[in-house]
Amino acid sequence: MATAKGFRYDQRADGTVVITHHGRVAGTLRGGRAAEFLAEVDDDPQLVMARWTGNYRRGNERTAKQHPRNRS
Protein backbone atom coordinates (compact mmCIF):
# COMPACT_ATOMS: atom_id res chain seq x y z
CA MET A 1 0.00 0.00 0.00
CA ALA A 2 1.29 3.47 -0.85
CA THR A 3 2.09 5.76 2.03
CA ALA A 4 -0.26 8.65 2.70
CA LYS A 5 1.15 12.15 2.31
CA GLY A 6 0.00 15.66 2.99
CA PHE A 7 -1.37 15.17 6.49
CA ARG A 8 -0.54 17.45 9.43
CA TYR A 9 -1.97 17.78 12.89
CA ASP A 10 -2.04 20.60 15.40
CA GLN A 11 -2.64 20.13 19.09
CA ARG A 12 -4.42 23.11 20.61
CA ALA A 13 -4.17 24.38 24.19
CA ASP A 14 -7.63 23.03 25.08
CA GLY A 15 -6.57 19.48 24.10
CA THR A 16 -8.30 19.49 20.72
CA VAL A 17 -6.40 17.94 17.81
CA VAL A 18 -7.09 19.25 14.30
CA ILE A 19 -5.96 17.06 11.40
CA THR A 20 -5.51 18.71 8.01
CA HIS A 21 -4.89 17.20 4.59
CA HIS A 22 -3.23 19.49 2.05
CA GLY A 23 -4.28 22.51 4.12
CA ARG A 24 -7.96 21.57 4.51
CA VAL A 25 -9.46 20.35 7.77
CA ALA A 26 -9.98 16.58 7.55
CA GLY A 27 -10.99 15.95 11.16
CA THR A 28 -11.20 17.35 14.67
CA LEU A 29 -10.66 15.17 17.72
CA ARG A 30 -11.56 16.09 21.29
CA GLY A 31 -11.29 14.51 24.71
CA GLY A 32 -10.53 10.81 24.88
CA ARG A 33 -10.31 10.37 21.13
CA ALA A 34 -7.68 13.11 20.92
CA ALA A 35 -5.62 11.46 23.68
CA GLU A 36 -5.94 8.08 21.97
CA PHE A 37 -4.80 9.61 18.66
CA LEU A 38 -1.79 11.32 20.24
CA ALA A 39 -0.71 8.04 21.86
CA GLU A 40 -0.86 6.26 18.50
CA VAL A 41 0.55 8.94 16.17
CA ASP A 42 4.21 8.24 17.02
CA ASP A 43 4.29 4.97 15.01
CA ASP A 44 3.70 6.21 11.44
CA PRO A 45 2.11 9.67 11.56
CA GLN A 46 0.92 9.87 7.94
CA LEU A 47 -0.74 6.46 7.95
CA VAL A 48 -2.29 7.00 11.38
CA MET A 49 -3.78 10.35 10.34
CA ALA A 50 -5.11 8.84 7.11
CA ARG A 51 -6.74 6.02 9.03
CA TRP A 52 -8.27 8.32 11.68
CA THR A 53 -9.77 10.63 9.06
CA GLY A 54 -10.87 7.89 6.66
CA ASN A 55 -8.80 9.38 3.82
CA TYR A 56 -6.89 6.34 2.71
CA ARG A 57 -7.09 4.13 -0.33
CA ARG A 58 -9.35 1.16 -0.11
CA GLY A 59 -7.72 -0.90 -2.86
CA ASN A 60 -10.44 -0.72 -5.50
CA GLU A 61 -9.34 2.42 -7.36
CA ARG A 62 -7.45 0.58 -10.08
CA THR A 63 -10.35 -1.80 -10.69
CA ALA A 64 -12.83 1.06 -11.03
CA LYS A 65 -10.49 2.96 -13.34
CA GLN A 66 -10.33 -0.04 -15.70
CA HIS A 67 -14.13 -0.42 -15.88
CA PRO A 68 -15.52 0.37 -19.38
CA ARG A 69 -18.00 2.87 -17.93
CA ASN A 70 -15.14 4.97 -16.49
CA ARG A 71 -12.92 5.06 -19.54
CA SER A 72 -12.82 8.27 -21.56
Side-chain angles (χ1 to χ4, degrees):
M1 183 165 110
T3 60
K5 295 186 180 179
F7 286 99
R8 296 186 68 162
Y9 74 93
D10 296 313
Q11 184 178 6
R12 296 185 176 166
D14 64 352
T16 302
V17 175
V18 178
I19 302 171
T20 58
H21 185 246
H22 295 293
R24 301 177 105 182
V25 175
T28 304
L29 307 171
R30 295 177 181 89
R33 288 181 49 87
E36 201 175 320
F37 169 79
L38 291 171
E40 187 178 340
V41 78
D42 292 333
D43 297 335
D44 182 6
Q46 292 294 305
L47 186 59
V48 170
M49 287 183 276
R51 194 167 41 82
W52 275 77
T53 60
N55 293 329
Y56 59 95
R57 296 194 180 265
R58 290 157 182 87
N60 63 352
E61 289 82 7
R62 181 174 292 157
T63 304
K65 185 177 180 182
Q66 298 297 331
H67 194 277
R69 173 182 63 222
N70 296 329
R71 291 188 180 181
S72 7

